[in-house]
Amino acid sequence: MTRRYHISILALAAIFLVLTGCASVDKKKASPIHIKGDEMKAAGVDAYGIGDYAGARSAFAEALRLDRSVDNREGELLDLINLARVAVVTGGYIEARAWLADAVPLAQLLKDDKNLSEAYATLAKADYLTGNHDAAWTHIEAALAIDQRLGVKSGGRLNLKAAILVASGKTAAAKSVLVDALRLNAGALDAPETANSYRALAEADIREGSDAPALDYYQRAYETSREAGDNSRLAADLVSISALQMKIGRTEDALFSLNRLYAVASASGTAREAAFALDGLISINEAAGNMDKGVFYRKLRDALSGMGAR
C-alpha cells in the first residue's frame, strides 16, 4: 500500500468547541434584539454540536448582525470567535483569520482577556493547519500566557502546543508538554482531548521511528473515543492502527482492524477510510493466497469507486 500509514494530528482541529456564553445586557433590561441575538447564538451552538456547520455559520452570522445593530460589543466578540471556529473546522482558514482580525482588537478594547485568549488559540489552530508553524507558536504561546495570568489550565491548548512542536520536529519537547496535557484532560474526564493527547504522543513516536509505542498510543486513543461514544475520529484511528500493524508485521491484527475499519467507515459514511480498509484487505489476502477473499473485497472496492470514492 502506498498511502501514508498514519493520519496526521492535523485532525486535532476536529475537536473545537464554540463559545456558549451569552453576552447581552442585563436580562431585565434586555431589548428584543438582545434576546434574539442570544437565541441565535444558542441556535448556532446547537447546530455546531450536531455537525451542521452551515447552520451554525448562518446562526452566528445573524447573531453578529443583531449584536452589531445595537453595538453589543461583548456579544459581537463571541460571534466573531464562533464564526472563526466554524470556518477553521470547515477549512476556511482565510475566512477565519478575517473574523479574528476583528475579534482580537475588540477583545483588547474590552479588556476581555479570557476571550482574547480564545481568539489567539483559534488563530493558532488556523496557522497550524495551514503549515505556518512559527505563527501558530506565537499565537498559542500568547493564549497560554494569558491563561497563566488568569489561573486557567487547558489540556486542549497544551495538545495544540505539542502538535506544533511535533510538526516542527521537536518531539522531546512535545512529549514533555503532553505529560501535563494528558494529566489535565484525563483529570477533567475530557475524552476527546484525552484521545488527542494519545494521538499526539503516537505522532511523536512515529517521527522518532518508534512504531510499536505509537501503535499502543493510537489504540488508547481509539478505546478512549469508543468508550465515550465519540465517533468523530474512530475511522481515522483505525486507519492509523491498521497501517502500523501492517508496517510492523502484525498481519492478523491488521486484518481484524481493517475489518472493523470497513464496518465503522461504512456505517458513518466515510468513503476514503472505507477505501483504505478495502485496499488493505485486498493486499493482505492476495499476498496470503486467499484469492477468493481478494476477489470479494475487490468487488466491494469497485462498487465503492463507482459511488465516487477517491
Side-chain angles (χ1 to χ4, degrees):
M1 298 177 67
T2 58
R3 283 190 57 176
R4 189 165 180 243
Y5 61 85
H6 67 285
I7 295 296
S8 170
I9 50 173
L10 289 178
L12 284 173
I15 307 300
F16 209 166
L17 300 179
V18 290
L19 305 180
T20 58
C22 294
S24 290
V25 296
D26 187 329
K27 291 297 182 184
K28 294 179 181 178
K29 301 177 182 178
S31 72
I33 293 178
H34 286 103
I35 293 170
K36 185 62 176 178
D38 283 350
E39 289 175 352
M40 295 311 299
K41 285 179 178 60
V45 170
D46 289 343
Y48 186 94
I50 62 172
D52 178 9
Y53 300 125
R57 187 189 187 284
S58 178
F60 290 138
E62 177 61 8
L64 177 64
R65 186 190 70 79
L66 291 165
D67 285 331
R68 281 179 166 171
S69 76
V70 290
D71 197 22
N72 177 12
R73 299 175 188 180
E74 293 79 8
E76 177 183 349
L77 177 57
L78 294 182
D79 301 330
L80 290 167
I81 295 172
N82 281 337
L83 282 164
R85 292 190 164 180
V86 173
V88 168
V89 170
T90 56
Y93 308 120
I94 295 175
E95 180 188 353
R97 289 192 180 96
W99 295 122
L100 294 166
D102 287 343
V104 168
L106 182 56
Q108 292 169 333
L109 176 69
L110 295 172
K111 301 187 186 306
D112 185 343
D113 282 349
K114 178 180 181 296
N115 284 314
L116 180 59
S117 175
E118 299 284 359
Y120 280 139
T122 308
L123 269 171
K125 281 198 175 180
D127 293 331
Y128 168 67
L129 288 165
T130 53
N132 191 345
H133 299 140
D134 289 341
W137 180 259
T138 297
H139 289 132
I140 195 61
E141 284 290 271
L144 289 168
I146 293 171
D147 290 349
Q148 184 175 21
R149 190 163 68 245
L150 296 176
V152 173
K153 294 182 178 181
S154 169
R157 288 185 193 165
L158 290 178
N159 277 344
L160 178 55
K161 179 178 179 177
I164 295 165
L165 287 167
V166 171
S168 303
K170 301 173 182 176
T171 53
K175 287 182 176 181
S176 178
V177 171
L178 286 166
V179 169
D180 290 334
L182 186 58
R183 175 178 52 80
L184 287 170
N185 291 324
L189 301 179
D190 187 338
E193 289 295 357
T194 298
N196 272 340
S197 294
Y198 285 133
R199 293 181 187 110
L201 285 163
E203 181 81 2
D205 277 335
I206 286 170
R207 296 205 177 210
E208 292 177 347
S210 301
D211 292 331
L215 174 58
D216 179 62
Y217 281 128
Y218 266 124
Q219 288 172 324
R220 293 187 194 186
Y222 177 80
E223 288 302 323
T224 299
S225 295
R226 188 182 66 81
E227 290 172 6
D230 175 14
N231 70 349
S232 62
R233 291 294 311 279
L234 291 183
D237 286 338
L238 284 168
V239 169
S240 300
I241 288 167
S242 59
L244 283 167
Q245 288 169 334
M246 286 187 283
K247 185 171 186 284
I248 63 179
R250 290 172 53 176
T251 306
E252 289 300 316
D253 291 338
L255 279 171
F256 176 81
S257 297
L258 288 165
N259 273 294
R260 296 311 308 156
L261 172 57
Y262 181 66
V264 170
S266 297
S268 58
T270 50
R272 183 176 60 177
E273 285 76 10
F276 181 95
L278 291 171
D279 287 343
L281 289 166
I282 292 165
S283 176
I284 291 175
N285 279 289
E286 289 185 348
N290 300 323
M291 304 312 293
D292 288 344
K293 286 187 176 181
V295 169
F296 172 72
Y297 290 123
R298 279 194 181 278
K299 288 181 179 178
L300 290 177
R301 183 65 171 87
D302 290 343
L304 190 62
S305 297
M307 290 187 288
R310 295 181 182 178

